[in-house]
Amino acid sequence: MNEQPSAIKRIFQSIFQLLNVSRKIIVNLVFFTVLIILISALFSGEEPVIVPERAALVLDITGDIVEQKVEVAPMDALLNEAFDQKEQRPEVLLSDVLQVIERAKSDDRIQVLVLKLQHMKRAGITKLRMIAEKIEEFKASGKKVIAYGDQYLQDQYYLAAYADEVWLNPNGWMLLDGYGSYQMYFKSALEKLAVSQHIFRVGTYKSAVEPYMRDDMSPAAKEANTQWLQDLWQQYKADVAAQREFSVDNFDETAQGLLEKLEKVDGKIAQYALTNHWVDALKNREQIRQALINLVGENKHDSFNHINFKRYLRAIKPAFPIEQPNSNKIAIVIAKGIILDGNQDPGTVGGDSTARFLREARLNDNVKAVVLRVDSPGGSAFASDIIRQEVELLKAAGKPVVASMGSVAASGGYWISAAADKIFAAPTTITGSIGIYGFFMTLENSLAKLGVYTDGVGTTDFAGFGITQPLSDEMADILQLGIERGYQDFLELVANNRDMSLQQVDAVAQGRVWSGMKAKELGLVDELGDLNQAIDEAALLAGINQFDTLLIEKKLSPQDLFLQNFFGQAVKFLPIQAELKASNIEQAIMLLKREYQTVSQLNDPQGVYAHCLVCKIN
């Protein structure tokens, strides 16, 4: 006699069948959505990018300007677009911006460069100065540069200042708020949660762990941060003042001074900008349209003849990179982002992955020298040293290494640079921060409040060591000794490679942060220059005159490379969503989330870090 399933079993079987059917429907919907997009892209025919004759190139940068993009899988990018999941922080490659302006300079079809920058986010003065140099070269070719916008943020205005004319909407606004370094501090919050903190550091100015041991910035950190922030701000003011042909005293650095100027123009910020020579004219959108039509003519869409940044880049940049196989190479390896142990995706420096790129350059007979482009605040001390070892092996193989510092090359970022034959930095590079720290938290007191305790036996004093037990004085001394040994190793690394004594290095170390300009005075860098000058120096050290550059990075599979280019065209069939701006509450939540992510991703196997948390500008 067959036993009938129970009522409860039948109910669960029905629920499972319903869920399974729903799953298949959703998967099929996604599949057919992607399939329709692919078919549309295949049979629509790719519309070639046509650069209009006598046109304006509109530099409408959207997102952060970066040395290397955070990797997003092509299929993920397509699905994000399909389901309206916009990038939280879109990125634009610095090299793409430079290439576009460089090519437009000699393109007879491009008559005017239009800077439309209101969607440009963070860049940093070091990258901005590189772009500004290209804008200057564009102007030197006899072509005009015009900037216009509804508003100007500080980074946006820096580039706008290099235009022949700067226009602002009559109801627009601008504010130059200077440079600051502000952090969240969690000491009191952690005490309320009864979290036991164990912090080990070396360096009077090593302030990376201050947020967990204080509720405010220490006087030593304020002293050090003020100096490098002032160096960067003075450079910003000097550059803008030179372009706008006014005194650096024209900058408003007090609220009272700004208030007095605004009162004179009845609170109209745009009029204030015009009166103080920040802008040359106030124009509404129709006036801007007519002015640009007068310069380059009108197109069939009732706008001026133009091509935007992305389309022009697509017109000049080959979809698939072409490499000259047998020529001499200067290899470029980019170390951008926090330094973590192991293999990491682009946008983060992996100890193993970045070392592998350097090893690839060492084993390539065509590579005669290497430029290590660093844009990193540091991170794992162990991963930093893995990378440093590969730099030493390159030198031992007779291949010169030149470190080229971008916006920041501090702590671990300086660690991986120090062994290079030559170090180039921009005047505004944030560097130094020679010091290390370690910290972790234990929860024995927090758990005790909940009535949870840990107890047991072990064969050594170290058995069972973990976050649920208090840290003994002896273990604390052992950990501190390791940190001090690590700091000594850092000093010796710098001293041996910079021709300095340990005492000289220690005097400029202690975790203190410097601008590139000051670092050169102190002997921490050799030359002030950009990536191109570093490449030229690498060729000189290698003794070669004719060479190509070879970017060594994570290689996409043939499938991913096809999808990346193919889906770049397929996305045009998806609806374009308006850019959303986060509310103040959302911004605060995202800030807390980033603070958590910064700490949670640290993965040094020994818990020892050469990381500069203050090396970021708010």
Side-chain angles (χ1 to χ4, degrees), residues 338-341 378-385 412 415-416 602-606 608-611:
I338 190 171
I339 301 174
L340 301 177
D341 189 37
S380 164
F382 179 79
S384 299
D385 202 58
W415 189 311
I416 65 177
L602 296 174
N603 67 347
D604 186 277
Q606 301 172 42
V608 179
Y609 299 96
H611 186 204

Side-chain angles (χ1 to χ4, degrees), residues 62 222 280 555:
T62 299
K222 285 184 176 180
D280 298 295
K555 291 181 174 62

Side-chain angles (χ1 to χ4, degrees), residues 445-479:
N445 295 323
S446 306
L447 293 171
K449 287 190 173 185
L450 300 174
V452 178
Y453 299 90
T454 298
D455 195 14
V457 294
T459 58
T460 70
D461 290 342
F462 320 114
F465 174 68
I467 65 169
T468 64
Q469 297 187 63
L471 183 70
S472 69
D473 291 341
E474 292 80 9
M475 277 299 296
D477 289 341
I478 290 170
L479 293 171

Side-chain angles (χ1 to χ4, degrees), residues 95-350:
S95 58
D96 285 346
V97 178
L98 300 178
Q99 182 181 2
V100 159
I101 303 174
E102 174 69 26
R103 181 67 68 86
K105 175 183 68 175
S106 55
D107 189 336
D108 293 336
R109 297 167 296 181
I110 302 300
Q111 302 294 306
V112 180
L113 177 63
V114 175
L115 307 179
K116 184 183 177 184
L117 305 168
Q118 61 191 37
H119 296 303
M120 188 184 88
K121 304 302 182 185
R122 295 186 179 184
I125 188 170
T126 300
K127 298 182 185 72
L128 292 174
R129 296 187 89 219
M130 295 176 69
I131 298 171
E133 183 179 340
K134 290 297 179 185
I135 295 174
E136 285 278 73
E137 292 174 4
F138 184 92
K139 289 162 61 178
S141 71
K143 300 180 180 181
K144 193 164 189 169
V145 180
I146 291 174
Y148 77 85
D150 296 331
Q151 75 278 324
Y152 292 108
L153 300 178
Q154 188 162 282
D155 279 4
Q156 297 166 357
Y157 184 77
Y158 182 92
L159 291 183
Y162 280 79
D164 295 293
E165 295 183 42
V166 183
W167 303 338
L168 177 64
N169 190 295
N171 291 319
W173 58 274
M174 64 170 290
L175 179 64
L176 306 184
D177 49 359
Y179 291 133
S181 179
Y182 294 89
Q183 293 178 272
M184 289 186 173
Y185 291 81
F186 306 100
K187 177 176 178 288
S188 293
L190 293 171
E191 287 176 350
K192 289 178 181 179
L193 296 172
V195 174
S196 301
Q197 300 180 73
H198 308 287
I199 296 170
F200 312 92
R201 63 175 182 165
V202 182
T204 304
Y205 300 94
K206 196 62 186 174
S207 55
V209 288
E210 283 190 356
Y212 309 101
M213 57 188 292
R214 297 177 61 94
D215 285 327
D216 58 2
M217 189 178 288
S218 68
K222 285 184 176 180
E223 173 197 343
N225 293 341
T226 297
Q227 179 167 333
W228 65 264
L229 285 167
Q230 285 289 0
D231 285 348
L232 269 61
W233 183 230
Q234 290 298 330
Q235 187 70 64
Y236 183 101
K237 292 196 298 182
D239 291 348
V240 169
Q243 292 301 315
R244 297 299 300 166
E245 297 181 344
F246 54 53
S247 168
V248 292
D249 296 333
N250 196 43
F251 286 77
D252 300 299
E253 297 180 343
T254 66
Q256 183 60 39
L258 178 60
L259 178 61
E260 290 173 358
K261 289 183 177 180
L262 287 174
E263 286 174 343
K264 291 179 181 178
V265 293
D266 296 326
K268 297 178 180 178
I269 292 182
Q271 186 59 49
Y272 149 79
L274 181 63
T275 302
N276 280 267
H277 309 295
W278 299 111
V279 302
D280 298 295
L282 303 182
K283 294 181 184 287
N284 61 34
R285 294 181 181 182
E286 177 59 21
Q287 290 171 326
I288 290 170
R289 187 180 75 89
Q290 289 295 339
L292 292 173
I293 286 175
N294 290 338
L295 283 173
V296 293
E298 188 173 6
N299 64 19
K300 61 183 179 181
H301 302 294
D302 298 323
S303 181
F304 59 97
N305 283 324
H306 71 278
I307 184 169
N308 69 10
F309 167 74
K310 282 189 175 180
R311 285 182 62 80
Y312 191 73
L313 178 64
R314 213 170 86 212
I316 66 173
K317 192 173 185 180
F320 299 93
I322 301 171
E323 181 184 332
Q324 298 295 330
N326 298 317
S327 63
N328 290 331
K329 310 289 186 187
I330 302 295
I332 300 173
V333 175
I334 296 176
K336 182 258 182 182
I338 190 171
I339 301 174
L340 301 177
D341 189 37
N343 290 298
Q344 302 296 332
D345 289 329
T348 302
V349 184

Side-chain angles (χ1 to χ4, degrees), residues 368-425:
K368 306 305 179 185
V370 175
V371 173
L372 180 61
R373 178 67 172 177
V374 182
D375 191 8
S376 171
S380 164
F382 179 79
S384 299
D385 202 58
I386 292 295
I387 296 168
R388 191 271 311 168
Q389 291 171 26
E390 283 295 335
V391 172
E392 297 283 8
L393 288 171
L394 272 163
K395 292 162 59 180
K399 298 188 178 185
V401 180
V402 176
S404 172
M405 296 179 170
S407 294
V408 56
S411 280
Y414 188 80
W415 189 311
I416 65 177
S417 304
D421 293 287
K422 282 282 185 73
I423 300 177
F424 279 68

Side-chain angles (χ1 to χ4, degrees), residues 474-586:
E474 292 80 9
M475 277 299 296
D477 289 341
I478 290 170
L479 293 171
Q480 180 62 38
L481 188 63
I483 296 296
E484 291 173 0
R485 179 63 257 172
Y487 179 64
Q488 192 67 21
D489 290 342
F490 204 163
L491 294 182
E492 290 174 1
L493 166 65
V494 178
N496 292 337
N497 286 279
R498 302 302 306 162
D499 195 23
M500 300 169 70
S501 68
L502 287 174
Q503 292 75 20
Q504 287 174 318
V505 178
D506 191 39
V508 299
Q510 298 288 325
R512 185 156 185 170
V513 180
W514 308 99
S515 68
M517 180 170 53
K518 189 66 177 178
K520 183 178 185 302
E521 295 177 15
L522 298 172
L524 295 178
V525 303
D526 295 293
E527 301 289 346
L528 297 180
D530 59 20
L531 177 59
N532 288 331
Q533 289 168 297
I535 292 171
D536 290 341
E537 180 66 22
L540 183 65
L541 292 175
I544 57 177
N545 296 318
Q546 300 294 324
F547 62 89
D548 295 317
T549 57
L550 173 65
L551 177 63
I552 299 181
E553 58 183 348
K554 181 180 177 181
K555 291 181 174 62
L556 292 176
S557 67
Q559 296 93 330
D560 282 344
L561 193 58
F562 169 78
L563 291 174
Q564 184 182 69
N565 288 281
F566 186 79
F567 286 144
Q569 313 310 324
V571 165
K572 70 181 180 182
F573 295 97
L574 301 169
I576 298 174
Q577 303 295 328
E579 181 180 2
L580 300 178
K581 293 186 178 180
S583 67
N584 290 338
I585 294 176
E586 289 171 328

